[in-house]
Amino acid sequence: MRRRRWFERTFDLGHRADAFPDILERLRGTPARLEDQLRGQIPDVLVQRSDDRWTIQQNVGHLGDLEPLWAGRLDDLLSRENSLRPADLANRTTEEALHNDAAIADLLGAFRTARNELVGRLEALNDEQLSLSAFHPRLELRMNAVDLFFFVAEHDDHHLARISEILREIGG
């Protein structure tokens, strides 16, 4: 089945604060889901290319590469900035990181550590902070904190689905 490309996606936003606990659980669970997905895979499978796109390890590394962006965007909201900081749409950090040369345990560990720090910050937010909003530069719309982290959870799931797709394609 054909998956939607990330930059072709649109998002239903306008989430209320009472949706946040569910979103927070998705964010908290991503490292465990990722580790479970990759448990027992041989290293060669993790760095094998499929369709000239990122390898599994590059997808994992990319999730870790974006954690500073998500934390920075939370800072933007809490500082009441009008706009969220832009993402590097060319993904230079991931392209230049040599994730295929890293140990998968290191990539997973770095992602888990960064995500746990972010989740800890998110758990401390109150309803007023969850309602703060700013302009998302690529989507060209305002989003509140709940919407922003729904977007992050969707991004996580996008890459988890891509990893599953790669595993099916290469027989991992």
Side-chain angles (χ1 to χ4, degrees):
M1 74 187 80
R2 183 187 175 306
R3 289 179 50 248
R4 293 176 291 180
R5 298 187 61 82
W6 179 252
F7 291 116
E8 295 171 358
R9 296 214 30 205
T10 58
F11 299 90
D12 293 326
L13 303 179
H15 293 89
R16 298 182 339 212
D18 63 358
F20 195 63
D22 297 337
I23 294 166
L24 189 57
E25 284 307 310
R26 285 177 67 191
L27 296 171
R28 182 190 331 276
T30 300
R33 291 168 43 210
L34 187 58
E35 291 161 3
D36 185 59
Q37 190 176 30
L38 299 180
R39 190 170 291 113
Q41 293 296 331
I42 60 171
D44 288 349
V45 167
L46 302 177
V47 297
Q48 188 171 339
R49 287 213 179 269
S50 173
D51 296 334
D52 237 10
R53 293 164 63 195
W54 286 344
T55 66
I56 290 171
Q57 283 201 191
Q58 287 172 306
N59 277 273
V60 172
H62 175 69
L63 289 170
D65 293 340
L66 288 186
E67 288 299 294
L69 175 64
W70 310 141
R73 285 181 170 176
L74 176 58
D75 292 338
D76 296 341
L77 287 170
L78 295 175
S79 299
R80 292 175 163 72
E81 298 290 334
N82 189 49
S83 292
L84 300 171
R85 63 193 65 194
D88 169 18
L89 300 181
N91 291 306
R92 283 188 305 271
T93 301
T94 301
E95 293 291 343
E96 297 170 2
L98 303 176
H99 291 309
N100 287 333
D101 295 337
I104 190 64
D106 292 342
L107 295 173
L108 292 167
F111 175 59
R112 179 177 281 282
T113 297
R115 178 52 62 89
N116 286 345
E117 290 173 12
L118 180 62
V119 166
R121 290 184 65 199
L122 295 174
E123 288 174 327
L125 298 179
N126 61 41
D127 285 352
E128 177 190 349
Q129 291 168 318
L130 290 172
S131 71
L132 295 172
S133 67
F135 185 77
H136 187 286
R138 180 177 69 82
L139 298 178
E140 297 183 346
L141 48 79
R142 289 191 76 77
M143 56 173 45
N144 64 32
V146 182
D147 292 331
L148 172 60
F149 290 99
F150 169 77
F151 177 84
V152 174
E154 289 289 298
H155 182 265
D156 288 353
D157 289 349
H158 171 80
H159 285 281
L160 289 168
R162 176 61 186 142
I163 290 168
S164 291
E165 184 179 57
I166 295 168
L167 289 170
R168 282 191 306 274
E169 289 171 1
I170 62 178

